[in-house]
């Protein structure tokens, strides 16, 4: 059956996202909050996160390129990114933020540049993976997904 | 006898992060304390200064725009705020609220992604009622229940007093003050009835 195939794909995709460390338990928390009264909640929060984090990444890049660098401000921006990342369960991004913060603390400019590049890659990857995931979910339909997520 | 109208429970959520505002709003509306007989209304703002504005307080004053607190246009029953915010931090906001004679009784909850004991203690000492570690989850919402119940009991008590003073002023030709001096024994009787009405609701958690 086409439908059960889709459901299997969804479960497999989600398992991969968790196994590979892209997402953590907080993402499950978001899915628990989704129901008939707010059927697209997870996708909506994710969209807000990507909008917010794109803005922060731009600001971080500007802060790094500006001379002299304000490591205090840089740390504050990364902290904001870490916070919203953890709220949606973006584990890899959250962990990279911790590394980034350590670089800020050490005033390690090269380290900060490396962290920023890594962060941008993680951001793009997560966005793409979640987009695929949500696309599959849309094909299955909200009601049916609610059933399968309780497994 | 007049029936007290159940006003919605109004929460003001303060957070500079857009996804976090959406999350806290959803958590508040979805949580199991919805088993209590009222609607939860959530207002979100993105800064401490906007929160103060909403509460009717200017940065440099401790009195509201309108002189009497019972003429406040918007009643807020609970404030939940992020700690780390640009400009006014959640701690600064907490201080301003507790310094204000008419806002200080509103329970305040602080949220932070950092687990720093000295920070937590500082907030609790300043009068915060709860401290939530981010990311906030559904299970955290049950910690708000005692504050909600306490706030509702107080409201019912004040409402009963108000209704009683209204009916008394209707019956007599002499003007009575807003907070009428009715006999204390009848008030405590009324309060007891109100407590019994609210507390026995069995709250079954929606999510385990």
């Amino acid at each position: 059956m086409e439908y059960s195939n889709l459901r299997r794909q969804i479960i497999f995709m989600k398992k991969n996202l968790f196994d590979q460390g892209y997402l953590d338990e907080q993402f499950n928390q978001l899915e628990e909050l989704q129901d008939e009264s707010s059927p697209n909640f997870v996708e909506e929060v994710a969209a807000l996160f990507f909008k917010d984090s794109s803005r922060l990444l731009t600001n971080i890049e500007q802060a790094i390129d500006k001379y002299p660098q304000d490591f205090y401000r840089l740390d504050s921006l990364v902290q904001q990114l870490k916070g919203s990342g953890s709220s949606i369960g973006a584990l890899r991004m959250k962990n990279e933020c911790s590394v980034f913060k350590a670089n800020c603390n050490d005033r390690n400019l090269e380290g900060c540049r490396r962290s920023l590049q890594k962060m941008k890659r993680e951001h793009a990857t997560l966005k793409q993976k979640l987009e695929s995931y949500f696309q599959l979910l849309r094909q299955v339909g909200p009601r049916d997904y609610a059933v399968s997520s309780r497994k | 006898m007049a029936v007290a109208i159940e006003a919605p429970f109004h929460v003001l959520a303060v957070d500079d992060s857009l996804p976090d505002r959406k999350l806290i709003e959803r958590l508040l509306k979805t949580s199991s304390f919805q088993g209590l007989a009222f609607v939860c209304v959530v207002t979100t703002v993105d800064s401490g200064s906007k929160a103060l504005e909403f509460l009717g307080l200017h940065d440099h004053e401790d009195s509201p725009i309108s002189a009497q607190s019972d003429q406040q246009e918007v009643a807020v029953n609970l404030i939940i705020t992020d700690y780390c915010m640009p400009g006014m931090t959640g701690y600064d906001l907490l201080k301003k609220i507790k310094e204000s004679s008419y806002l200080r009784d509103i329970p305040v909850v602080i949220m932070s992604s950092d687990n720093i004991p000295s920070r937590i203690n500082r907030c609790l000492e300043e009068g915060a009622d709860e401290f939530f570690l981010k990311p906030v989850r559904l299970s955290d919402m049950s910690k708000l229940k005692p504050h909600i119940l306490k706030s509702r009991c107080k409201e019912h008590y004040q409402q009963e007093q108000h209704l009683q003073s209204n009916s008394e002023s209707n019956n007599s030709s002499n003007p009575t003050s807003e907070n009428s001096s009715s006999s204390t024994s009848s008030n405590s009787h009324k309060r007891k009835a109100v407590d019994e009405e609210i507390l026995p609701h069995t709250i079954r958690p929606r999510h385990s």
Side-chain angles (χ1 to χ4, degrees), chain B residues 9 11 25-42 138 141-142 145 148 201-206:
Chain B
F9 191 79
V11 182
E25 180 182 32
R26 183 76 193 144
L27 282 168
L28 288 165
K29 286 183 163 160
T30 310
S31 55
S32 60
F33 64 66
Q34 290 284 72
L36 301 174
F38 54 82
V39 168
C40 184
V41 168
V42 183
L138 206 49
M141 296 294 105
S142 57
K145 229 181 326 162
I148 294 168
H201 282 282
T202 354
I203 293 112
R204 252 176 270 109
R206 193 180 142 172

PDB file of all heavy atoms in Angstrom, chain B residues 9 11 25-42 138 141-142 145 148 201-206:
ATOM      1  N   PHE B   9      -8.018  33.557  32.206  1.00  0.00           N
ATOM      2  CA  PHE B   9      -6.751  33.685  32.896  1.00  0.00           C
ATOM      3  C   PHE B   9      -5.750  34.239  31.900  1.00  0.00           C
ATOM      4  O   PHE B   9      -5.466  33.612  30.879  1.00  0.00           O
ATOM      5  CB  PHE B   9      -6.304  32.313  33.419  1.00  0.00           C
ATOM      6  CG  PHE B   9      -5.145  32.405  34.354  1.00  0.00           C
ATOM      7  CD1 PHE B   9      -5.330  32.777  35.677  1.00  0.00           C
ATOM      8  CD2 PHE B   9      -3.860  32.130  33.916  1.00  0.00           C
ATOM      9  CE1 PHE B   9      -4.262  32.863  36.554  1.00  0.00           C
ATOM     10  CE2 PHE B   9      -2.781  32.229  34.776  1.00  0.00           C
ATOM     11  CZ  PHE B   9      -2.987  32.601  36.100  1.00  0.00           C
ATOM     12  N   VAL B  11      -2.148  35.462  30.672  1.00  0.00           N
ATOM     13  CA  VAL B  11      -0.713  35.359  30.887  1.00  0.00           C
ATOM     14  C   VAL B  11       0.017  36.297  29.938  1.00  0.00           C
ATOM     15  O   VAL B  11      -0.293  36.344  28.747  1.00  0.00           O
ATOM     16  CB  VAL B  11      -0.209  33.910  30.646  1.00  0.00           C
ATOM     17  CG1 VAL B  11       1.284  33.819  30.917  1.00  0.00           C
ATOM     18  CG2 VAL B  11      -0.971  32.916  31.506  1.00  0.00           C
ATOM     19  N   GLU B  25       3.549  30.180  24.158  1.00  0.00           N
ATOM     20  CA  GLU B  25       2.132  30.434  23.971  1.00  0.00           C
ATOM     21  C   GLU B  25       1.371  29.119  23.805  1.00  0.00           C
ATOM     22  O   GLU B  25       0.319  28.904  24.413  1.00  0.00           O
ATOM     23  CB  GLU B  25       1.927  31.320  22.736  1.00  0.00           C
ATOM     24  CG  GLU B  25       0.479  31.643  22.448  1.00  0.00           C
ATOM     25  CD  GLU B  25       0.302  32.472  21.189  1.00  0.00           C
ATOM     26  OE1 GLU B  25       1.096  32.315  20.249  1.00  0.00           O
ATOM     27  OE2 GLU B  25      -0.642  33.272  21.166  1.00  0.00           O
ATOM     28  N   ARG B  26       1.924  28.227  23.008  1.00  0.00           N
ATOM     29  CA  ARG B  26       1.291  26.931  22.766  1.00  0.00           C
ATOM     30  C   ARG B  26       1.269  26.086  24.046  1.00  0.00           C
ATOM     31  O   ARG B  26       0.279  25.443  24.362  1.00  0.00           O
ATOM     32  CB  ARG B  26       2.043  26.206  21.647  1.00  0.00           C
ATOM     33  CG  ARG B  26       1.443  24.882  21.247  1.00  0.00           C
ATOM     34  CD  ARG B  26       0.206  25.052  20.407  1.00  0.00           C
ATOM     35  NE  ARG B  26      -0.485  23.773  20.318  1.00  0.00           N
ATOM     36  CZ  ARG B  26      -1.805  23.622  20.301  1.00  0.00           C
ATOM     37  NH1 ARG B  26      -2.588  24.653  20.339  1.00  0.00           N
ATOM     38  NH2 ARG B  26      -2.334  22.424  20.220  1.00  0.00           N
ATOM     39  N   LEU B  27       2.370  26.104  24.771  1.00  0.00           N
ATOM     40  CA  LEU B  27       2.458  25.347  26.019  1.00  0.00           C
ATOM     41  C   LEU B  27       1.385  25.802  26.993  1.00  0.00           C
ATOM     42  O   LEU B  27       0.699  24.999  27.606  1.00  0.00           O
ATOM     43  CB  LEU B  27       3.838  25.526  26.661  1.00  0.00           C
ATOM     44  CG  LEU B  27       4.979  24.713  26.066  1.00  0.00           C
ATOM     45  CD1 LEU B  27       6.317  25.202  26.603  1.00  0.00           C
ATOM     46  CD2 LEU B  27       4.806  23.229  26.372  1.00  0.00           C
ATOM     47  N   LEU B  28       1.237  27.112  27.132  1.00  0.00           N
ATOM     48  CA  LEU B  28       0.258  27.661  28.075  1.00  0.00           C
ATOM     49  C   LEU B  28      -1.157  27.291  27.675  1.00  0.00           C
ATOM     50  O   LEU B  28      -1.990  26.968  28.511  1.00  0.00           O
ATOM     51  CB  LEU B  28       0.403  29.187  28.163  1.00  0.00           C
ATOM     52  CG  LEU B  28       1.637  29.683  28.896  1.00  0.00           C
ATOM     53  CD1 LEU B  28       1.884  31.152  28.607  1.00  0.00           C
ATOM     54  CD2 LEU B  28       1.470  29.480  30.402  1.00  0.00           C
ATOM     55  N   LYS B  29      -1.432  27.323  26.382  1.00  0.00           N
ATOM     56  CA  LYS B  29      -2.790  27.039  25.935  1.00  0.00           C
ATOM     57  C   LYS B  29      -3.109  25.548  25.953  1.00  0.00           C
ATOM     58  O   LYS B  29      -4.250  25.147  26.053  1.00  0.00           O
ATOM     59  CB  LYS B  29      -3.007  27.611  24.539  1.00  0.00           C
ATOM     60  CG  LYS B  29      -3.140  29.113  24.553  1.00  0.00           C
ATOM     61  CD  LYS B  29      -3.435  29.643  23.178  1.00  0.00           C
ATOM     62  CE  LYS B  29      -3.963  31.050  23.269  1.00  0.00           C
ATOM     63  NZ  LYS B  29      -3.837  31.764  22.004  1.00  0.00           N
ATOM     64  N   THR B  30      -2.093  24.714  25.817  1.00  0.00           N
ATOM     65  CA  THR B  30      -2.315  23.275  25.687  1.00  0.00           C
ATOM     66  C   THR B  30      -2.297  22.544  27.012  1.00  0.00           C
ATOM     67  O   THR B  30      -2.866  21.482  27.142  1.00  0.00           O
ATOM     68  CB  THR B  30      -1.195  22.650  24.818  1.00  0.00           C
ATOM     69  OG1 THR B  30      -1.057  23.399  23.632  1.00  0.00           O
ATOM     70  CG2 THR B  30      -1.485  21.205  24.488  1.00  0.00           C
ATOM     71  N   SER B  31      -1.647  23.122  28.012  1.00  0.00           N
ATOM     72  CA  SER B  31      -1.320  22.362  29.212  1.00  0.00           C
ATOM     73  C   SER B  31      -2.524  21.869  30.001  1.00  0.00           C
ATOM     74  O   SER B  31      -3.627  22.367  29.860  1.00  0.00           O
ATOM     75  CB  SER B  31      -0.424  23.198  30.120  1.00  0.00           C
ATOM     76  OG  SER B  31      -1.059  24.408  30.377  1.00  0.00           O
ATOM     77  N   SER B  32      -2.253  20.904  30.868  1.00  0.00           N
ATOM     78  CA  SER B  32      -3.299  20.203  31.572  1.00  0.00           C
ATOM     79  C   SER B  32      -4.034  21.078  32.581  1.00  0.00           C
ATOM     80  O   SER B  32      -5.115  20.717  33.017  1.00  0.00           O
ATOM     81  CB  SER B  32      -2.736  18.980  32.281  1.00  0.00           C
ATOM     82  OG  SER B  32      -1.753  19.402  33.217  1.00  0.00           O
ATOM     83  N   PHE B  33      -3.449  22.222  32.947  1.00  0.00           N
ATOM     84  CA  PHE B  33      -4.217  23.022  33.892  1.00  0.00           C
ATOM     85  C   PHE B  33      -5.434  23.640  33.215  1.00  0.00           C
ATOM     86  O   PHE B  33      -6.215  24.313  33.838  1.00  0.00           O
ATOM     87  CB  PHE B  33      -3.365  24.043  34.640  1.00  0.00           C
ATOM     88  CG  PHE B  33      -2.723  25.113  33.810  1.00  0.00           C
ATOM     89  CD1 PHE B  33      -3.471  26.068  33.137  1.00  0.00           C
ATOM     90  CD2 PHE B  33      -1.345  25.208  33.728  1.00  0.00           C
ATOM     91  CE1 PHE B  33      -2.892  27.070  32.391  1.00  0.00           C
ATOM     92  CE2 PHE B  33      -0.738  26.224  32.987  1.00  0.00           C
ATOM     93  CZ  PHE B  33      -1.511  27.143  32.325  1.00  0.00           C
ATOM     94  N   GLN B  34      -5.567  23.341  31.940  1.00  0.00           N
ATOM     95  CA  GLN B  34      -6.788  23.706  31.242  1.00  0.00           C
ATOM     96  C   GLN B  34      -7.975  22.927  31.776  1.00  0.00           C
ATOM     97  O   GLN B  34      -9.110  23.238  31.484  1.00  0.00           O
ATOM     98  CB  GLN B  34      -6.650  23.437  29.742  1.00  0.00           C
ATOM     99  CG  GLN B  34      -5.689  24.378  29.027  1.00  0.00           C
ATOM    100  CD  GLN B  34      -6.256  25.752  28.798  1.00  0.00           C
ATOM    101  OE1 GLN B  34      -6.410  26.533  29.720  1.00  0.00           O
ATOM    102  NE2 GLN B  34      -6.585  26.059  27.582  1.00  0.00           N
ATOM    103  N   GLY B  35      -7.737  21.887  32.560  1.00  0.00           N
ATOM    104  CA  GLY B  35      -8.815  21.135  33.191  1.00  0.00           C
ATOM    105  C   GLY B  35      -9.590  21.997  34.171  1.00  0.00           C
ATOM    106  O   GLY B  35     -10.715  21.689  34.538  1.00  0.00           O
ATOM    107  N   LEU B  36      -8.979  23.130  34.580  1.00  0.00           N
ATOM    108  CA  LEU B  36      -9.696  24.071  35.431  1.00  0.00           C
ATOM    109  C   LEU B  36     -10.676  24.863  34.584  1.00  0.00           C
ATOM    110  O   LEU B  36     -10.487  25.023  33.389  1.00  0.00           O
ATOM    111  CB  LEU B  36      -8.702  25.011  36.121  1.00  0.00           C
ATOM    112  CG  LEU B  36      -7.657  24.317  37.008  1.00  0.00           C
ATOM    113  CD1 LEU B  36      -6.651  25.331  37.520  1.00  0.00           C
ATOM    114  CD2 LEU B  36      -8.346  23.635  38.175  1.00  0.00           C
ATOM    115  N   ALA B  37     -11.700  25.349  35.251  1.00  0.00           N
ATOM    116  CA  ALA B  37     -12.818  25.917  34.500  1.00  0.00           C
ATOM    117  C   ALA B  37     -12.607  27.345  34.011  1.00  0.00           C
ATOM    118  O   ALA B  37     -13.328  28.252  34.385  1.00  0.00           O
ATOM    119  CB  ALA B  37     -14.091  25.848  35.369  1.00  0.00           C
ATOM    120  N   PHE B  38     -11.596  27.574  33.183  1.00  0.00           N
ATOM    121  CA  PHE B  38     -11.455  28.895  32.601  1.00  0.00           C
ATOM    122  C   PHE B  38     -10.626  28.807  31.330  1.00  0.00           C
ATOM    123  O   PHE B  38      -9.993  27.802  31.046  1.00  0.00           O
ATOM    124  CB  PHE B  38     -10.807  29.882  33.577  1.00  0.00           C
ATOM    125  CG  PHE B  38      -9.498  29.400  34.127  1.00  0.00           C
ATOM    126  CD1 PHE B  38      -8.323  29.543  33.407  1.00  0.00           C
ATOM    127  CD2 PHE B  38      -9.435  28.803  35.368  1.00  0.00           C
ATOM    128  CE1 PHE B  38      -7.113  29.091  33.915  1.00  0.00           C
ATOM    129  CE2 PHE B  38      -8.230  28.349  35.871  1.00  0.00           C
ATOM    130  CZ  PHE B  38      -7.074  28.483  35.153  1.00  0.00           C
ATOM    131  N   VAL B  39     -10.640  29.882  30.585  1.00  0.00           N
ATOM    132  CA  VAL B  39      -9.885  29.955  29.335  1.00  0.00           C
ATOM    133  C   VAL B  39      -8.567  30.679  29.601  1.00  0.00           C
ATOM    134  O   VAL B  39      -8.526  31.639  30.349  1.00  0.00           O
ATOM    135  CB  VAL B  39     -10.723  30.747  28.290  1.00  0.00           C
ATOM    136  CG1 VAL B  39      -9.887  31.115  27.082  1.00  0.00           C
ATOM    137  CG2 VAL B  39     -11.947  29.945  27.899  1.00  0.00           C
ATOM    138  N   CYS B  40      -7.509  30.174  28.995  1.00  0.00           N
ATOM    139  CA  CYS B  40      -6.222  30.840  29.150  1.00  0.00           C
ATOM    140  C   CYS B  40      -5.961  31.710  27.935  1.00  0.00           C
ATOM    141  O   CYS B  40      -5.988  31.240  26.798  1.00  0.00           O
ATOM    142  CB  CYS B  40      -5.114  29.791  29.302  1.00  0.00           C
ATOM    143  SG  CYS B  40      -3.503  30.519  29.619  1.00  0.00           S
ATOM    144  N   VAL B  41      -5.743  32.992  28.194  1.00  0.00           N
ATOM    145  CA  VAL B  41      -5.444  33.927  27.114  1.00  0.00           C
ATOM    146  C   VAL B  41      -3.975  34.323  27.254  1.00  0.00           C
ATOM    147  O   VAL B  41      -3.516  34.603  28.357  1.00  0.00           O
ATOM    148  CB  VAL B  41      -6.346  35.190  27.246  1.00  0.00           C
ATOM    149  CG1 VAL B  41      -5.868  36.300  26.333  1.00  0.00           C
ATOM    150  CG2 VAL B  41      -7.780  34.821  26.940  1.00  0.00           C
ATOM    151  N   VAL B  42      -3.246  34.298  26.165  1.00  0.00           N
ATOM    152  CA  VAL B  42      -1.821  34.609  26.223  1.00  0.00           C
ATOM    153  C   VAL B  42      -1.499  35.828  25.364  1.00  0.00           C
ATOM    154  O   VAL B  42      -1.903  35.912  24.208  1.00  0.00           O
ATOM    155  CB  VAL B  42      -0.975  33.413  25.722  1.00  0.00           C
ATOM    156  CG1 VAL B  42       0.516  33.712  25.857  1.00  0.00           C
ATOM    157  CG2 VAL B  42      -1.329  32.145  26.481  1.00  0.00           C
ATOM    158  N   LEU B 138       6.076  20.664  28.384  1.00  0.00           N
ATOM    159  CA  LEU B 138       4.709  20.582  28.884  1.00  0.00           C
ATOM    160  C   LEU B 138       4.664  20.280  30.385  1.00  0.00           C
ATOM    161  O   LEU B 138       3.847  20.829  31.119  1.00  0.00           O
ATOM    162  CB  LEU B 138       3.953  19.505  28.101  1.00  0.00           C
ATOM    163  CG  LEU B 138       2.443  19.641  27.993  1.00  0.00           C
ATOM    164  CD1 LEU B 138       2.028  21.045  27.546  1.00  0.00           C
ATOM    165  CD2 LEU B 138       1.901  18.626  27.012  1.00  0.00           C
ATOM    166  N   MET B 141       4.505  23.073  32.930  1.00  0.00           N
ATOM    167  CA  MET B 141       3.281  23.858  33.085  1.00  0.00           C
ATOM    168  C   MET B 141       2.519  23.501  34.364  1.00  0.00           C
ATOM    169  O   MET B 141       1.839  24.347  34.947  1.00  0.00           O
ATOM    170  CB  MET B 141       2.360  23.680  31.874  1.00  0.00           C
ATOM    171  CG  MET B 141       2.950  24.199  30.580  1.00  0.00           C
ATOM    172  SD  MET B 141       3.162  25.990  30.582  1.00  0.00           S
ATOM    173  CE  MET B 141       4.926  26.111  30.782  1.00  0.00           C
ATOM    174  N   SER B 142       2.666  22.257  34.824  1.00  0.00           N
ATOM    175  CA  SER B 142       1.950  21.865  36.037  1.00  0.00           C
ATOM    176  C   SER B 142       2.457  22.646  37.254  1.00  0.00           C
ATOM    177  O   SER B 142       1.736  22.827  38.230  1.00  0.00           O
ATOM    178  CB  SER B 142       2.090  20.361  36.271  1.00  0.00           C
ATOM    179  OG  SER B 142       3.460  20.012  36.356  1.00  0.00           O
ATOM    180  N   LYS B 145       0.216  25.589  38.273  1.00  0.00           N
ATOM    181  CA  LYS B 145      -1.112  25.376  38.842  1.00  0.00           C
ATOM    182  C   LYS B 145      -1.339  26.031  40.208  1.00  0.00           C
ATOM    183  O   LYS B 145      -2.322  26.733  40.380  1.00  0.00           O
ATOM    184  CB  LYS B 145      -1.434  23.878  38.916  1.00  0.00           C
ATOM    185  CG  LYS B 145      -2.793  23.565  38.351  1.00  0.00           C
ATOM    186  CD  LYS B 145      -3.199  22.124  38.412  1.00  0.00           C
ATOM    187  CE  LYS B 145      -2.092  21.163  38.240  1.00  0.00           C
ATOM    188  NZ  LYS B 145      -2.193  19.813  38.627  1.00  0.00           N
ATOM    189  N   ILE B 148      -1.875  29.674  39.820  1.00  0.00           N
ATOM    190  CA  ILE B 148      -3.154  29.983  39.172  1.00  0.00           C
ATOM    191  C   ILE B 148      -4.291  29.871  40.176  1.00  0.00           C
ATOM    192  O   ILE B 148      -5.148  30.746  40.267  1.00  0.00           O
ATOM    193  CB  ILE B 148      -3.406  29.043  37.976  1.00  0.00           C
ATOM    194  CG1 ILE B 148      -2.371  29.308  36.897  1.00  0.00           C
ATOM    195  CG2 ILE B 148      -4.807  29.233  37.428  1.00  0.00           C
ATOM    196  CD1 ILE B 148      -2.349  28.266  35.814  1.00  0.00           C
ATOM    197  N   HIS B 201     -11.672  20.195  41.612  1.00  0.00           N
ATOM    198  CA  HIS B 201     -11.529  19.735  40.223  1.00  0.00           C
ATOM    199  C   HIS B 201     -10.384  18.739  40.155  1.00  0.00           C
ATOM    200  O   HIS B 201      -9.275  19.045  40.539  1.00  0.00           O
ATOM    201  CB  HIS B 201     -11.193  20.908  39.305  1.00  0.00           C
ATOM    202  CG  HIS B 201     -12.379  21.747  38.966  1.00  0.00           C
ATOM    203  ND1 HIS B 201     -13.306  21.378  38.029  1.00  0.00           N
ATOM    204  CD2 HIS B 201     -12.783  22.929  39.444  1.00  0.00           C
ATOM    205  CE1 HIS B 201     -14.220  22.313  37.943  1.00  0.00           C
ATOM    206  NE2 HIS B 201     -13.938  23.276  38.782  1.00  0.00           N
ATOM    207  N   THR B 202     -10.678  17.553  39.620  1.00  0.00           N
ATOM    208  CA  THR B 202      -9.567  16.615  39.479  1.00  0.00           C
ATOM    209  C   THR B 202      -8.862  16.956  38.182  1.00  0.00           C
ATOM    210  O   THR B 202      -9.473  16.988  37.134  1.00  0.00           O
ATOM    211  CB  THR B 202     -10.048  15.151  39.377  1.00  0.00           C
ATOM    212  OG1 THR B 202     -11.439  15.150  39.590  1.00  0.00           O
ATOM    213  CG2 THR B 202      -9.346  14.280  40.383  1.00  0.00           C
ATOM    214  N   ILE B 203      -7.550  17.218  38.311  1.00  0.00           N
ATOM    215  CA  ILE B 203      -6.821  17.559  37.100  1.00  0.00           C
ATOM    216  C   ILE B 203      -6.089  16.318  36.625  1.00  0.00           C
ATOM    217  O   ILE B 203      -5.149  15.842  37.247  1.00  0.00           O
ATOM    218  CB  ILE B 203      -5.839  18.721  37.363  1.00  0.00           C
ATOM    219  CG1 ILE B 203      -6.633  19.990  37.655  1.00  0.00           C
ATOM    220  CG2 ILE B 203      -4.953  18.971  36.163  1.00  0.00           C
ATOM    221  CD1 ILE B 203      -6.529  20.481  39.031  1.00  0.00           C
ATOM    222  N   ARG B 204      -6.587  15.799  35.489  1.00  0.00           N
ATOM    223  CA  ARG B 204      -5.915  14.624  34.927  1.00  0.00           C
ATOM    224  C   ARG B 204      -4.945  15.143  33.888  1.00  0.00           C
ATOM    225  O   ARG B 204      -5.352  15.875  32.997  1.00  0.00           O
ATOM    226  CB  ARG B 204      -6.944  13.696  34.291  1.00  0.00           C
ATOM    227  CG  ARG B 204      -7.156  12.426  35.102  1.00  0.00           C
ATOM    228  CD  ARG B 204      -8.258  11.537  34.535  1.00  0.00           C
ATOM    229  NE  ARG B 204      -9.561  11.848  35.084  1.00  0.00           N
ATOM    230  CZ  ARG B 204     -10.539  12.442  34.385  1.00  0.00           C
ATOM    231  NH1 ARG B 204     -10.337  12.784  33.134  1.00  0.00           N
ATOM    232  NH2 ARG B 204     -11.712  12.689  34.935  1.00  0.00           N
ATOM    233  N   PRO B 205      -3.671  14.815  33.999  1.00  0.00           N
ATOM    234  CA  PRO B 205      -2.731  15.337  33.019  1.00  0.00           C
ATOM    235  C   PRO B 205      -3.054  14.833  31.626  1.00  0.00           C
ATOM    236  O   PRO B 205      -3.414  13.670  31.436  1.00  0.00           O
ATOM    237  CB  PRO B 205      -1.358  14.805  33.469  1.00  0.00           C
ATOM    238  CG  PRO B 205      -1.617  13.853  34.563  1.00  0.00           C
ATOM    239  CD  PRO B 205      -3.054  13.912  34.972  1.00  0.00           C
ATOM    240  N   ARG B 206      -2.920  15.780  30.667  1.00  0.00           N
ATOM    241  CA  ARG B 206      -3.242  15.423  29.289  1.00  0.00           C
ATOM    242  C   ARG B 206      -2.135  14.568  28.707  1.00  0.00           C
ATOM    243  O   ARG B 206      -2.330  13.688  27.901  1.00  0.00           O
ATOM    244  CB  ARG B 206      -3.413  16.717  28.493  1.00  0.00           C
ATOM    245  CG  ARG B 206      -4.034  16.478  27.156  1.00  0.00           C
ATOM    246  CD  ARG B 206      -4.170  17.759  26.422  1.00  0.00           C
ATOM    247  NE  ARG B 206      -3.902  17.547  25.020  1.00  0.00           N
ATOM    248  CZ  ARG B 206      -4.094  18.474  24.095  1.00  0.00           C
ATOM    249  NH1 ARG B 206      -4.505  19.649  24.433  1.00  0.00           N
ATOM    250  NH2 ARG B 206      -3.827  18.229  22.844  1.00  0.00           N
TER     251      ARG B 206
END
